[in-house]
Structure formats: C-alpha cells, structure tokens
Amino acid sequence: MFSFVGPDAEMCIRLSQKDIAAYGDNNPNDPVIRYGSVMNGYVGIPDAPLLDEPQLVEWFAKSVGFDRGLKPKPTKKKN
C-alpha cells in the first residue's frame, strides 16, 4: 500500500526516509496516526500540495517507486 485517504479526508503517502526528510523541508511533517498507532513511513499531504498537481504527481511517483522496491510480506497458508 503506497497511499490512502483517512477517515478525516487526509491524503497520506508512503515514502522512503530520505524522501520524508526532503518532503519535510517544504511541508508540515506531522506523524500519521491511525487507530492509536503511528504509521511509520507515511506523511500526510495538506490541502495546498493537493492543489499543486505537478508537485503531487512527483510525490506519488516517489511513493509508488518506493513501494515497488519493498519485499512482499509472506502469506499465511491455510491449515
């Protein structure tokens, strides 16, 4: 999963630690908290970047690229 929209309508994307640091240079970088837990590797996208389509496309591309590079989790076999 590389992105989601939370119940509060906040857009969140998953980034590498390097990209999270770069994102935080120009945007607020508060932790994404869902169900009482911090979702490591995710950043919330505020309204202003959502309106800047070229910037949003760039961050989505980085998010998809990072997600594709992750190893899949092993599946649980049925007994």
Side-chain angles (χ1 to χ4, degrees), residues 19 23-24 27 31 36 38 40-41 45 47 49 51 59 71 73 79:
D19 287 336
Y23 178 82
N27 299 292
V38 174
N40 292 323
I45 307 289
D47 292 340
L51 300 176
W59 286 113
K71 291 183 180 180
K73 290 185 178 181
N79 291 335

Side-chain angles (χ1 to χ4, degrees), residues 2 23-24 33 39 43 56 60 74:
F2 66 92
Y23 178 82
I33 300 173
M39 296 190 67
V43 295
L56 185 60
F60 255 90

Side-chain angles (χ1 to χ4, degrees), residues 4-60:
F4 66 90
V5 177
D8 56 356
E10 179 184 34
M11 170 72 79
C12 301
I13 60 172
R14 187 176 197 177
L15 297 170
S16 68
Q17 292 301 317
K18 180 181 124 187
D19 287 336
I20 289 172
Y23 178 82
D25 291 342
N26 299 322
N27 299 292
N29 197 3
D30 298 330
V32 175
I33 300 173
R34 294 291 179 260
Y35 304 105
S37 297
V38 174
M39 296 190 67
N40 292 323
Y42 285 88
V43 295
I45 307 289
D47 292 340
L50 287 175
L51 300 176
D52 184 4
E53 188 175 337
Q55 182 183 14
L56 185 60
V57 168
E58 177 185 339
W59 286 113
F60 255 90

